[in-house]
Amino acid sequence: MKITQGVFFTGYMTLRIEGKFPEFFLNRCVENGISVWNVKKIDEFTCEANVRLEDLPVLKKVRSQLDYKIRFRKRHGLPFLLRSLLKRRSLVAGFVLGMIAIFLLSNMVWGIKIEGVTPEVEYKIKENLKDYGIKRGAWKFTIETPGQMQQKLLADVPELLWIGVTEKGTTYHLEGVEKTIVTEPEEGGPQSLYARKKGIIVDMYVEKGEPAVELNDYVESGDLLVSGAIGREEEPTLVHAEGEVIAETWYKSEVVVPLNVQYEVITGEKETHYGVQLGDVRVPLWGFKEPEFKRMHEEEYNKPFYLFKWELPIKFSSKEISEAELYKESRTDEEALQIGVKQAEMELKQKIPQNSKIITQKVLHRQKENGKVKLILYFKVHEDISKPQPITQGD
């Protein structure tokens, strides 16, 4: 190991030794365990060398036994630097306080800019942001993330279709898109209604146009349901066909339901711990003891600190620890069947038009294996199967 390793932190000095044979003094220093390096011969009676600050007491003892003159030329290292700073306490204190002020001001909200919305919606957004604690002068690490702000604003401001939240230094930029009510023209060009899937016609509500099918007719996808060409075949009158053609349609669904399930439920008891995150190291500030929960669910949020517009490699960390309970449930075959039917109905409702009705359901196949129940179900649905298609010249 080099004798100069770590000398900056412990401190060292450059000495000038004056006298006859100054090398003899340096040899005596080494014999007494003093580390000496960077020795320079100035002239016949003068040498310079570096020694550690911690070896100064032994150096003085060796000096008292010999007739040499010692001068301290330079002082190096952290101890001397700190001593120099202490002599300028007011300057150092002013610098530290200035840096603290800059740091604090860089981590506060000083601007909120909202674009893309009307003044009325902008006012609503600002009022909601105040409720969330987001306003000029708020600490940035105590407010929510941009993603959480976005979700809350979309839920609390019904006029918003979308809103983006970005954080740029001490300013939050929000850009929103309002919902618009598109009013379709009362009547478009001539069109007919065709079947978008196969089914059996069970009901019809034709406002304009000439029906091309009757009740209880079976139709395939692409069949004409309501014609927009009425009157004589040689010179028909073209209209904008409108109406609903309700048909009985069929769906097949497959679901798998486990007989034994376990899930975690949050009880509502929770604790919040705060700390500072530096890389992978977390230093706790508040909440040193883990809560006495048998089972816990943790969510951690990190907010970076800033100096001016630059993000620092240190973050304010808040960790929310919630009490959780593990529930285990064993289902019978009949319970699994009921759950499977409800699950299949929910999945089917997401596929069919909003005003459709599920008329009947039937279990085609039920199989139990590996702790699971596999179901194949058959559904009858009444839905509007009509889709418009413009009438072009030559049709």
Side-chain angles (χ1 to χ4, degrees):
M1 184 181 293
K2 296 181 180 180
I3 61 174
T4 58
Q5 186 172 357
V7 292
F8 173 79
F9 298 100
T10 57
Y12 66 98
M13 302 164 293
T14 300
L15 306 180
R16 175 168 286 188
I17 304 99
E18 298 178 353
K20 293 182 179 180
F21 304 110
E23 298 86 353
F24 177 74
F25 177 79
L26 295 175
N27 290 334
R28 290 295 299 272
C29 288
V30 174
E31 291 172 1
N32 284 270
I34 299 175
S35 300
V36 179
W37 72 96
N38 201 19
V39 179
K40 296 181 181 179
K41 182 75 171 180
I42 305 301
D43 55 40
E44 184 179 355
F45 301 102
T46 308
C47 279
E48 283 188 358
N50 292 340
V51 296
R52 294 176 182 270
L53 176 60
E54 60 192 45
D55 292 334
L56 185 58
V58 182
L59 180 70
K60 290 181 178 181
K61 184 178 179 180
V62 174
R63 162 65 182 81
S64 64
Q65 298 172 355
L66 300 173
D67 187 18
Y68 287 92
K69 188 175 182 179
I70 307 297
R71 297 178 184 272
F72 292 94
R73 297 286 295 169
K74 296 180 182 178
R75 294 170 174 83
H76 314 269
L78 186 60
F80 298 108
L81 180 61
L82 293 176
R83 188 180 303 175
S84 176
L85 291 176
L86 288 175
K87 293 180 180 179
R88 300 175 176 84
R89 293 175 186 172
S90 59
L91 180 63
V92 173
F95 176 78
V96 172
L97 291 175
M99 292 302 297
I100 292 175
I102 292 173
F103 174 77
L104 294 177
L105 293 174
S106 300
N107 289 278
M108 297 175 72
V109 178
W110 292 113
I112 299 174
K113 296 182 179 180
I114 303 174
E115 299 175 351
V117 295
T118 60
E120 294 79 7
V121 176
E122 181 178 346
Y123 175 78
K124 288 185 178 181
I125 293 174
K126 287 182 178 179
E127 290 300 309
N128 279 277
L129 290 176
K130 288 179 182 178
D131 294 339
Y132 308 155
I134 305 167
K135 54 186 178 181
R136 285 175 60 90
W139 296 109
K140 292 174 62 177
F141 49 82
T142 62
I143 60 182
E144 297 167 322
T145 63
Q148 292 171 324
M149 292 183 212
Q150 179 178 338
Q151 292 177 1
K152 280 191 170 184
L153 287 171
L154 289 174
D156 296 338
V157 184
E159 293 86 353
L160 287 174
L161 176 65
W162 173 87
I163 188 166
V165 182
T166 56
E167 181 182 353
K168 296 180 180 178
T170 59
T171 303
Y172 282 92
H173 294 260
L174 292 84
E175 185 174 358
V177 177
E178 294 185 45
K179 295 177 181 176
T180 55
I181 301 175
V182 181
T183 56
E184 295 183 357
E186 293 185 359
E187 183 158 343
Q191 67 175 22
S192 297
L193 301 181
Y194 290 82
R196 58 180 175 80
K197 65 179 306 178
K198 63 182 179 180
I200 297 176
I201 308 301
V202 295
D203 211 344
M204 298 178 67
Y205 308 94
V206 179
E207 297 180 11
K208 289 185 179 181
E210 184 175 343
V213 293
E214 297 180 354
L215 296 181
N216 300 318
D217 282 356
Y218 172 80
V219 295
E220 293 280 352
S221 175
D223 287 353
L224 178 64
L225 301 178
V226 179
S227 175
I230 60 176
R232 292 184 300 173
E233 185 176 350
E234 297 81 7
E235 296 181 0
T237 301
L238 301 182
V239 299
H240 184 84
E242 293 181 2
E244 292 183 357
V245 180
I246 310 300
E248 179 182 290
T249 56
W250 310 276
Y251 292 88
K252 186 178 177 183
S253 177
E254 294 185 11
V255 292
V256 178
V257 183
L259 293 173
N260 298 305
V261 294
Q262 61 180 24
Y263 50 92
E264 198 175 65
V265 177
I266 304 299
T267 64
E269 295 291 330
K270 63 181 180 180
E271 292 185 9
T272 304
H273 294 182
Y274 300 100
V276 175
Q277 191 79 24
L278 182 59
D280 296 331
V281 180
R282 186 179 187 274
V283 180
L285 298 177
W286 179 266
F288 300 93
K289 186 179 179 182
E290 291 291 330
E292 296 180 355
F293 298 152
K294 292 183 179 179
R295 194 175 188 87
M296 294 181 291
H297 176 77
E298 296 185 2
E299 290 186 1
E300 187 169 349
Y301 304 97
N302 293 319
K303 296 284 291 185
F305 288 108
Y306 290 86
L307 185 62
F308 297 111
K309 64 178 180 179
W310 296 285
E311 183 177 325
L312 300 177
I314 183 171
K315 299 179 181 178
F316 180 80
S317 170
S318 61
K319 182 167 66 173
E320 192 174 273
I321 305 174
S322 304
E323 183 183 29
E325 292 184 0
L326 185 66
Y327 284 87
K328 296 182 179 180
E329 180 182 352
S330 296
R331 300 164 175 167
T332 63
D333 292 356
E334 288 303 316
E335 289 173 337
L337 173 62
Q338 294 176 7
I339 293 172
V341 171
K342 289 182 180 179
Q343 179 181 334
E345 286 183 355
M346 290 178 61
E347 293 175 355
L348 179 58
K349 286 179 179 179
Q350 295 177 354
K351 299 178 181 178
I352 59 181
Q354 188 174 1
N355 296 326
S356 304
K357 294 182 180 179
I358 298 176
I359 304 304
T360 60
Q361 58 83 16
K362 183 178 180 181
V363 179
L364 297 180
H365 178 74
R366 178 167 64 176
Q367 181 180 358
K368 179 180 176 182
E369 60 180 9
N370 299 326
K372 298 178 181 179
V373 174
K374 182 178 179 181
L375 302 172
I376 300 177
L377 299 106
Y378 172 82
F379 291 94
K380 285 185 180 180
V381 178
H382 285 183
E383 60 178 301
D384 181 9
I385 63 169
S386 65
K387 66 175 180 180
Q389 182 174 320
I391 299 176
T392 58
Q393 290 184 351
D395 287 352

